[in-house]
Amino acid sequence: MPGMWWWVGASLVVGLISAYLIWTAGRVDRLRLRAEAAARALEAHLLRRAAAAAVLAERRYGVELYAAARIALDAEPEEREAAENDLTRQLRAVRLDPADPECETVIAASRRLALARQVHTDLVRDARAARGRPVVRLLRMGRRHPWPRYFDIDDPTVALPADVPA
């Protein structure tokens, strides 16, 4: 009879370890999926801001802002960060009036982009931390998928004039 308790105890330990490993693998996969969804949302907000900037530049502000917006819209994935940084610099150089509906569209798109970027950064950080755990690396739980990448751009919020309340 005493030998039976060893089997029960060993089975319980194996069951708990298996449950932990299954939970960890699920967490790694959920975080990866959330980071991918955040990347798609970030991409959508980047496109919205670039499109709004292109429309605004076409109507008012000229060639440089329009060119930066078109480059951001047409950029390949590996060129995207540089194109978005250039668009951000061009938008900061232009004085946007928040009372104007066309300018308000660009300002609102920039604010939403800043929020989407922060969410994406947080989720990528969490996914990378989960994949960096020793158990996950040892058992290669995330080997089928590439590591989540940060999207490193300047803060996309557009500064408002000092005399205009936000």
Side-chain angles (χ1 to χ4, degrees), residues 7-161:
W7 284 106
V8 171
S11 298
L12 184 64
V13 167
V14 167
L16 288 174
I17 290 173
S18 298
Y20 172 73
L21 292 176
I22 289 169
W23 175 81
T24 301
R27 177 160 173 73
V28 168
D29 196 45
R30 282 190 308 274
L31 285 170
R32 177 192 57 84
L33 290 173
R34 290 178 67 194
E36 287 176 1
R40 287 191 300 272
L42 178 64
E43 179 71 22
H45 285 289
L46 289 168
L47 291 173
R48 284 186 194 113
R49 181 184 74 152
V55 168
L56 181 65
E58 203 171 31
R59 294 183 182 167
R60 295 205 183 147
Y61 290 108
V63 177
E64 290 178 4
L65 180 59
Y66 182 76
R70 287 305 311 171
I71 290 170
L73 283 170
D74 299 334
E76 296 295 323
E78 57 274 356
E79 303 166 347
R80 192 63 186 244
E81 290 175 0
E84 291 298 333
N85 283 332
D86 186 43
L87 178 58
T88 299
R89 281 190 291 279
Q90 291 294 329
L91 284 171
R92 285 186 181 146
V94 173
R95 184 174 171 92
L96 297 176
D97 181 18
D100 183 14
E102 291 175 348
C103 292
E104 177 57 33
T105 303
V106 174
I107 293 168
S110 293
R111 287 181 181 156
R112 285 190 298 271
L113 174 60
L115 181 61
R117 180 179 160 262
Q118 183 63 47
V119 168
H120 177 262
T121 299
D122 291 345
L123 286 171
V124 167
R125 182 198 61 226
D126 293 346
R128 290 175 75 93
R131 285 189 66 176
R133 289 182 164 191
V135 169
V136 174
R137 285 194 330 252
L138 179 69
L139 298 177
R140 300 175 57 198
M141 290 181 185
R143 69 182 176 272
R144 294 179 296 162
H145 305 287
W147 277 72
R149 290 188 54 233
Y150 289 104
F151 193 79
D152 190 25
I153 57 172
D154 292 339
D155 186 20
T157 55
V158 178
L160 295 176

